[in-house]
Amino acid sequence: MANCITERQEHEKRIKALTQTMPCEEDIYLMASRFKALSEPSRLKILLALEEGELCVEHLCGAVNGNQSAVSHQLKALKDCKIIKSRRCGKNILYSISDEHILIMLKMAKEHLDCDE
């Protein structure tokens, strides 16, 4: 009986520790929306192209073999999630990845393609 009480206390202690390190609901929603944005193949192709640096829509269309309207739509989705940023340079708008962490995630995802585990 004492063993069951100790085990129960350990479970409760562990659950309390987990809930204290869990991000708040708003942050979890934000994380999920960013993962959702990354999971769409067209957007992923755009991000892989942007690994090389800033690109305008015309360059991105060529790199991902897409039309301007579709690429612009995907760029808006990525920008809304703060995954990419843009800046105006003359008549062009240049897009780039807004955060080095995204580059790390892309690199890890590509490395994982070769993982047999």
Side-chain angles (χ1 to χ4, degrees):
M1 184 75 159
N3 193 21
C4 289
I5 293 171
T6 304
E7 191 174 309
R8 181 78 167 138
Q9 289 171 336
E10 284 299 314
H11 283 295
E12 289 173 5
K13 193 168 140 183
R14 189 156 190 202
I15 290 168
K16 184 178 180 180
L18 290 169
T19 58
Q20 289 176 340
T21 60
M22 185 73 63
C24 69
E25 289 298 316
E26 183 179 324
D27 288 346
I28 289 172
Y29 179 80
L30 181 59
M31 289 168 61
S33 68
R34 288 183 178 162
F35 276 116
K36 183 178 178 183
L38 292 171
S39 70
E40 204 285 321
S42 298
R43 291 191 284 264
L44 187 55
K45 284 169 67 173
I46 289 169
L47 291 172
L48 292 168
L50 289 173
E51 278 185 307
E52 301 301 317
E54 287 184 318
L55 295 170
C56 68
V57 173
E58 182 179 347
H59 293 138
L60 285 165
C61 288
V64 303
N65 196 27
N67 67 51
Q68 194 268 337
S69 176
V71 170
S72 292
H73 178 76
Q74 301 303 349
L75 288 168
K76 181 181 179 340
L78 290 167
K79 197 170 177 188
D80 287 349
C81 288
K82 296 181 172 63
I83 293 172
I84 63 167
K85 60 186 176 181
S86 64
R87 70 178 182 90
R88 182 170 289 285
C89 183
K91 292 182 179 182
N92 288 320
I93 297 177
L94 298 175
Y95 295 90
S96 61
I97 294 177
S98 66
D99 184 337
E100 291 294 315
H101 294 102
I102 298 299
L103 293 171
I104 293 167
M105 290 172 65
L106 292 172
K107 180 182 176 191
M108 289 176 67
K110 286 192 293 189
E111 287 173 359
H112 188 67
L113 291 172
D114 296 330
C115 184
D116 292 333
E117 296 176 16

